[in-house]
Amino acid sequence: MKNLSQHKAPIMEALNNFKQMRVVPFDVPGHKRGRGNEELTAFLGEKAMAVDVNSMKPLDNLCHPVSVIREAEQLAAEAFGAKHAFFMVNGTTSAVQSMVMTACKAGEKIIMPRNVHRSAINALILSGAVPVYVNPGVNRELGIPLGMAVEDVKQAILDHPDAKAILINNPTYYGICSNLKALTELAHEHGMLVLVDEAHGTHFYFNDALPISAMAADADMASVSMHKSGGSLTQSSFLLINNEISEGYTRQIINLTQTTSGSYLLLSSLDISRKNLSLNGQEIFRKVAEMAQYTRDEINKIGGYYAFSKELCNGDTIYDFDITKLSVHTLNIGLAGVEVYDILRDEYEIQIEFGDIGNLLAYISVGDRRLDLERLVSALAEIKRRYQKDKSGLFDHEYITPQVVATPQAAFYAPKEKLPIHDSAGRIASEFVMAYPPGIPILAPGEMITKEILSYIQYCKDKGSFMTGTEDSNIEYINVLKESEQ
């Protein structure tokens, strides 16, 4: 292996060299460096179009990298403390699916919390792996699912000693962290692999004051959304492997579903962002944490809102908290989080990450300015003054423990019928229902539909949550298993 320097960005450097070669393109893409699509070039810029190119010898090949992409992978692995890092251009969804499919074959069990992102359950549909769900802890006051209790995972391992792996969300969308080190050691003691969905934890690798990262905790695989807090372009992520996970086999699994036409815009954005974080991450995320804390303090001075942080830590289901996350509970002003989300966007031109029934999340990053944070605080104060009402009648919790009747794959592909959703109680779902973001299913294929779940779905719709998952785009009908299949 050549000497690595985190000051290098091999993919970017190869693209710059390529631009100077004045190559005549008789290959794809057909826009030919932008000349064939003037409107798109005017919109995106000549510089972007000039590097939207195809794989070729000077630029390497994502499916089987041997030169510049290979070197960029090695630099990323060093930066993240991993054995190897794969560049993912189908998003962290693809990375999560690749983790599950690398660890588990059809019929093999995987232990996971039920509040996983839909990509993890999609991986079960694709692979035929069988979930063993551990219900997360729940904070009833805030209405949010927490991490997995160590004792609950230990019991799941004892009940299912043949499970191949355990999947852990770390952190959750809200910033909640499980006891990652203890869970990893527990799984390894029983011969199970540890897979970590770190979609919201890129920054853990680059600042010592933040919670422990998956690789530092000795996990076997982690999927990292570099585009969320790491600064790369949307849809670009890393899949990290560690310990005895095979690089070659993992790449074969990735290549089952990842595009063979990897975008060099995405690849170079990963390469450049890794360089930036490896050189400047400590200071970048010190500033981000400082901005988040300032905003938390100001919001809590308003009254009614509760911007929560490390004071929630309990040593188990909230083992640690991501202090860069600005999560705010809104129910005490009589408004659902999604209602505040809509008011901020529609009346104040402030776009936050998401709002659910009880909370909202503003994503703070190095790109934010103090002036913008003050504008958010002022808007929240004004919303409270203008719209505050009695909180009675609001849902007091977010997470409903599902009744799992069939595996996701069996239910998704089973003979099914379409019912009006309000008539579906007592039947088994054959598809998802979820609010997006965050994309955590309220119902997943194979789960019993209950009156409680239906009430919650209707409540989400009434409050304006963006609902998705069903074939019916209006979520008025739902596919269920035929009676003979139940």
Side-chain angles (χ1 to χ4, degrees):
M1 184 189 303
K2 64 186 347 183
N3 290 331
L4 299 176
S5 168
Q6 292 296 330
H7 290 81
K8 288 180 64 63
I11 298 173
M12 179 187 74
E13 292 160 15
L15 286 167
N16 280 333
N17 290 336
F18 173 75
K19 284 193 291 185
Q20 294 172 6
M21 293 166 62
R22 302 174 66 86
V23 171
V24 178
F26 288 108
D27 62 349
V28 297
H31 61 67
K32 305 291 180 171
R33 316 291 187 263
R35 293 191 300 272
N37 194 334
E38 292 181 0
E39 187 174 10
L40 182 61
T41 303
F43 181 64
L44 293 181
E46 290 181 7
K47 288 183 177 180
M49 298 298 278
V51 293
D52 181 39
V53 293
N54 192 27
S55 294
M56 62 188 75
K57 194 167 185 178
L59 298 179
D60 209 356
N61 187 296
L62 182 60
C63 295
H64 187 82
V66 295
S67 59
V68 294
I69 295 176
R70 177 78 179 166
E71 184 181 350
E73 288 180 343
Q74 291 166 347
L75 283 164
E78 181 182 78
F80 284 87
K83 184 176 85 170
H84 194 76
F86 299 90
F87 280 54
M88 307 297 293
V89 295
N90 285 17
T92 308
T93 289
S94 176
V96 170
Q97 292 171 354
S98 295
M99 285 199 307
V100 173
M101 293 165 68
T102 298
C104 301
K105 298 180 177 64
E108 294 180 340
K109 296 177 184 174
I110 178 170
I111 297 168
M112 61 172 62
R114 174 53 182 75
N115 62 320
V116 290
H117 189 264
R118 70 173 294 177
S119 60
I121 299 178
N122 284 346
L124 305 178
I125 293 172
L126 292 170
S127 69
V130 178
V132 174
Y133 290 127
V134 174
N135 286 317
V138 177
N139 183 304
R140 293 287 173 186
E141 288 71 37
L142 299 178
I144 61 173
L146 307 175
M148 294 186 289
V150 173
E151 283 303 313
D152 289 346
V153 174
K154 184 182 291 184
Q155 190 59 54
I157 288 173
L158 294 174
D159 292 343
H160 302 274
D162 54 339
K164 297 297 181 183
I166 172 172
L167 187 145
I168 305 167
N169 293 337
N170 202 73
T172 68
Y173 222 148
Y174 304 95
I176 306 295
C177 298
S178 300
N179 190 343
L180 189 57
K181 184 71 173 170
L183 292 173
T184 299
E185 290 172 353
L186 179 64
H188 284 169
E189 285 169 13
H190 291 83
M192 298 179 188
L193 297 175
V194 176
L195 322 178
V196 183
D197 181 348
E198 271 185 317
H200 298 277
T202 304
H203 44 298
F204 289 5
Y205 290 89
F206 300 101
N207 185 281
D208 297 336
L210 297 176
I212 192 171
S213 68
M215 294 295 103
D218 200 37
D220 299 286
M221 306 183 79
S223 53
V224 178
S225 281
M226 194 69 165
H227 66 94
K228 289 187 169 71
S229 60
S232 66
L233 291 178
T234 295
Q235 201 177 306
S236 60
S237 300
F238 284 119
L239 173 58
L240 309 176
I241 62 171
N242 200 10
N243 303 327
E244 301 307 312
I245 301 295
S246 165
E247 177 194 335
Y249 181 65
T250 304
R251 197 180 301 278
Q252 286 183 325
I253 294 293
I254 291 169
N255 287 341
L256 291 176
T257 56
Q258 178 154 269
T259 178
T260 56
S261 304
S263 165
Y264 279 88
L265 294 172
L266 299 182
L267 294 174
S268 58
S269 81
L270 283 169
D271 197 25
I272 295 165
S273 300
R274 179 272 313 154
K275 173 186 171 183
N276 183 37
L277 295 189
S278 65
L279 299 178
N280 307 306
Q282 294 285 348
E283 178 61 14
I284 286 172
F285 294 116
R286 184 195 65 76
K287 288 181 179 177
V288 171
E290 190 179 85
M291 286 191 291
Q293 187 59 50
Y294 163 79
T295 314
R296 243 190 312 275
D297 292 342
E298 293 300 305
I299 290 172
N300 285 332
K301 288 177 188 174
I302 296 171
Y305 298 106
Y306 174 33
F308 47 90
S309 186
K310 277 182 176 283
E311 71 278 358
L312 295 179
C313 291
N314 59 20
D316 192 13
T317 52
I318 314 175
Y319 185 77
D320 206 346
F321 185 82
D322 175 8
I323 56 174
T324 72
K325 294 285 191 300
L326 183 62
S327 302
V328 184
H329 188 61
T330 65
L331 289 188
N332 288 330
I333 66 164
L335 294 174
V338 67
E339 292 177 302
V340 178
Y341 169 100
D342 285 340
I343 295 168
L344 282 168
R345 185 194 59 242
D346 296 343
E347 299 188 27
Y348 295 88
E349 295 182 329
I350 294 174
Q351 180 62 56
I352 59 171
E353 174 66 11
F354 85 102
D356 58 26
I357 297 308
N359 307 276
L360 56 85
L361 172 69
Y363 223 95
I364 310 295
S365 84
V366 70
D368 287 304
R369 302 171 298 178
R370 181 67 68 100
L371 185 67
D372 297 328
L373 300 174
E374 290 169 352
R375 181 174 165 188
L376 171 62
V377 173
S378 297
L380 289 173
E382 196 169 298
I383 288 169
K384 180 195 172 190
R385 180 177 58 79
R386 293 174 60 199
Y387 293 102
Q388 182 174 16
K389 57 188 177 184
D390 188 88
K391 64 178 285 189
S392 60
L394 294 174
F395 258 65
D396 65 352
H397 68 280
E398 179 83 6
Y399 178 75
I400 300 172
T401 302
Q403 300 174 42
V404 181
V405 182
T407 68
Q409 186 184 64
F412 186 81
Y413 290 114
K416 53 197 168 192
E417 58 185 315
K418 182 176 291 189
L419 287 181
I421 194 164
H422 55 76
D423 290 337
S424 65
R427 303 296 293 273
I428 299 169
S430 168
E431 57 187 354
F432 292 98
V433 180
M434 70 200 91
Y436 186 85
I440 297 168
I442 301 167
L443 263 179
E447 294 176 359
M448 181 69 71
I449 303 170
T450 65
K451 289 182 178 178
E452 182 187 24
I453 287 171
L454 293 177
S455 296
Y456 181 69
I457 291 170
Q458 187 59 49
Y459 187 81
C460 289
K461 289 170 69 175
D462 291 345
K463 289 297 182 185
S465 294
F466 179 68
M467 307 298 289
T468 181
T470 54
E471 278 189 44
D472 172 30
S473 60
N474 295 319
I475 326 289
E476 292 175 356
Y477 291 85
I478 188 168
N479 288 334
V480 300
L481 269 63
K482 286 193 172 179
E483 293 276 17
S484 58
E485 302 296 321
Q486 290 201 197

